[in-house]
Structures are given as structure tokens and as C-alpha cells.
Amino acid sequence: MTASQSVDQPGASWKRMETRAWRRRLIVAMYAGYAALLAEVLVHEHVGRPWPAGLRIPADLLFGLTVLVITFSWAWVLSAAVRYGFGPARRRDMSVARMRELKAQGYSAKEVRARMVSPPDERQQAVRHRAQAIAFPISAVIVIGGATYAVLAIEVLPGLWLPHTQAEIWAILTALILMYTTLPPAILAWTEPDVAADH
Amino acid sequence: MPVERTERVTSGQGAVHNRLSVLRAERDWSRQRLADALGLHHQTVGYLERGDYNPSLELALRIAGLFALPVEAIFSLRPFKPLSEEVYGRTAQEERQQ
């Protein structure tokens, strides 16, 4: 292997996933999946409970598919968040080939693991701060807007809709969890340009 | 605080030009190797080379130390001339005329 050939470069499939077009598709899939899940829950609660016999299997299949889409895209966005230092863990992006090479060079497993884990560098920290700066006012508007609506619905306009059923309350909680865990990394993944090829 | 730009800046105030890609190519180093030496992610090296990210003073000094060159030999507020022109004092047009 020459010096210009790096074993740390991600493979073709990973590079495809690192493109901005792919990242944006996943983010759209995640939020659209949540919207679909919310719609299914509300329809089930207010219109179709219990589902008519002919709709039960398609509805369950749709529900399962939506959950799968959300789970996959959510996990991907969270893993991207970890790599950019949003969470307590630090990025781990060393390839198996690179780990083997280090072991062959005499590094112990502990030393290889130490090299695998490194804090985000200064550019990654800068883009993380930028994403958090964009996400903060968005989440503040959503939370303050929601709280204001709740106060209005309770105190001023009692006819307004409020979550009552267990499914509706869980849907609101899930939306809050989704928003707080994914908004900054989703902004980051949406705006970061494609990875340039090494040359 | 480093300046983050979303588009390549080639001229104008705020642009910092660099010779990182030339220096790396001279040594036949991959971006990963340079990134490892500087404690950066390999993508960050790409951003630096393209001028899409301006390094902090600390990083610029570390880069200068790694290549054993003064900072101004690697980074400049004005576009660099081609090395041949700087070394031999001739432009590419003059080269062709000879």
C-alpha cells in the first residue's frame, strides 16, 4: 500500500450514504414517517377504532413499515450526531482494515481502541455550534407555541383540541423527543456538503 | 473562532488561500495521513484545502510546524502564485515563449 492510499477511506456504499442527497432523503423520510404515524394514530383513535376487518391487516402493515422507516432514519441521524460530538460518545470512524493494520504494527487492542475514539475537531465543533444555533430558535418557537396553545385551550377557549387519549399524549411526547434528539443533527446533515474524494 | 463558509471563497475579504494540497502532494500524503498527523477528521483536511474552512490560529501554527515552514508560506490573504513562478520568477506565459 502506498502512502497515498488510505485504508481509512469509507467504502462505496458508505460514500453513497454520505451524499447530501441521501442524507436529505433520510431526514425527509424520518419526519414524513412521524407525520404518517401521527396521522395513523389519530385516524385509529377517532375514526377507525376498532379497524374494520378488511382494513386491519393493511393498517398494521402500514404501521409496521412506518415504524421501521422512523427507526432506521432516527438511528442514522443519531449516529451522525454522535460522530459530530452531539452526544456523550465520541466519533468512531476507523475502518476494520485500518484496525487490522494497526494491530499488525504491534498496537494493543487498548491502543487501537484509543485511536478509534477521538473528539470532534475544530471544524466539526464549529458546524455543530452552527446547527445548534439554528435549532434553538426553531425548537423554542415550537415549545412556546405549544405551551401558549395549551394555556389558551385550557383557560380561554375551552373548545380547542387538547390531547386526551393515551395515544395522543404518547404522540406529543414522541414528537418532543424526536425534535430534541434530531433537530440539530438533521440541520447539520441537511446543510453539510458532499464529502470530497481523496486525491 | 474559525470562520465557516458554505461556499468556496476565491477572492475578496475574509478569504484565506493556502498551499496545503501542494504540500501534501509533494510528500505523497493522503488526506487521512495529514489528518492523523494534525488530529483532524480527513474531511476537514478537504475543507481546508478547498478554502471552505479557515483554520484557527492554533491549527494554522500546527500545520506550519508539521511542514516546517512559516505560516505565511502556507496561508495567505492573497492568492498564491504558482510555485514555479515564485521560484524562478517567470510566468507561465514567459515559459511558453522560451
Side-chain angles (χ1 to χ4, degrees):
Chain A
M1 178 174 291
T2 66
S4 60
Q5 287 175 307
S6 172
V7 288
D8 280 355
Q9 296 305 305
S13 60
W14 179 250
K15 277 184 180 169
R16 201 161 49 244
M17 287 182 74
E18 281 285 296
T19 63
R20 182 154 63 178
W22 172 260
R23 284 183 257 132
R24 287 184 171 183
R25 269 184 228 126
L26 272 177
I27 292 163
V28 169
M30 182 175 66
Y31 291 124
Y34 178 74
L37 195 69
L38 193 63
E40 285 174 49
V41 167
L42 291 178
V43 168
H44 191 215
E45 285 293 307
H46 296 282
V47 182
R49 194 170 196 177
W51 288 114
L55 280 179
R56 189 172 173 183
I57 292 176
D60 286 348
L61 282 175
L62 190 64
F63 185 83
L65 186 68
T66 316
V67 169
L68 273 179
V69 168
I70 292 174
T71 307
F72 176 73
S73 51
W74 199 344
W76 186 89
V77 169
L78 289 181
S79 74
V82 167
R83 284 196 293 141
Y84 269 87
F86 277 107
R90 292 169 172 185
R91 71 178 168 85
R92 296 173 175 81
D93 58 359
M94 193 177 283
S95 67
V96 175
R98 176 68 172 157
M99 285 192 276
R100 283 184 185 147
E101 188 190 53
L102 289 173
K103 278 183 183 171
Q105 287 172 3
Y107 287 96
S108 68
K110 193 177 176 183
E111 287 168 330
V112 170
R113 202 162 43 247
R115 291 183 71 142
M116 268 180 74
V117 181
S118 57
D121 64 31
E122 64 172 50
R123 191 195 72 85
Q124 290 174 311
Q125 288 180 33
V127 294
R128 183 185 65 182
H129 292 156
R130 186 192 62 194
Q132 284 170 331
I134 297 169
F136 178 73
I138 296 172
S139 55
V141 165
I142 293 171
V143 170
I144 292 169
T148 308
Y149 175 88
V151 170
L152 281 176
I154 294 166
E155 298 291 334
V156 185
L157 300 164
L160 287 178
W161 175 86
L162 277 174
H164 288 296
T165 67
Q166 202 176 30
E168 288 169 347
I169 291 165
W170 275 105
I172 301 259
L173 180 65
T174 311
L176 285 172
I177 293 170
L178 193 70
M179 182 182 73
Y180 275 110
T181 55
T182 64
L183 199 50
I187 290 168
L188 193 149
W190 188 274
T191 53
E192 277 285 275
D194 286 341
V195 178
D198 199 357
H199 55 80
Chain B
M1 183 71 180
V3 178
E4 177 66 19
R5 296 193 302 274
T6 53
E7 292 179 359
R8 182 191 300 210
V9 179
T10 52
S11 62
Q13 198 172 9
V16 176
H17 303 268
N18 70 76
R19 278 194 172 122
L20 269 182
S21 56
V22 174
L23 294 168
R24 185 171 63 81
E26 281 175 353
R27 287 156 180 79
D28 196 21
W29 286 358
S30 66
R31 280 186 179 148
Q32 185 66 57
R33 180 164 175 186
L34 180 56
D36 284 345
L38 294 166
L40 301 173
H41 193 273
H42 66 89
Q43 286 177 27
T44 300
V45 173
Y47 281 93
L48 286 168
E49 287 182 354
R50 292 192 303 276
D52 289 340
Y53 175 72
N54 290 347
S56 64
L57 179 60
E58 188 220 340
L59 178 56
L61 289 169
R62 281 202 329 219
I63 293 169
L66 180 70
F67 289 113
L69 289 169
V71 175
E72 61 270 24
I74 305 174
F75 297 99
S76 170
L77 292 174
R78 281 178 289 184
F80 284 106
K81 293 177 186 172
L83 265 181
S84 59
E85 195 179 318
E86 281 207 3
V87 173
Y88 297 107
R90 289 184 299 203
T91 63
Q93 194 177 2
E94 287 169 345
E95 293 270 340
R96 279 196 297 273
Q97 284 170 352
Q98 282 192 342

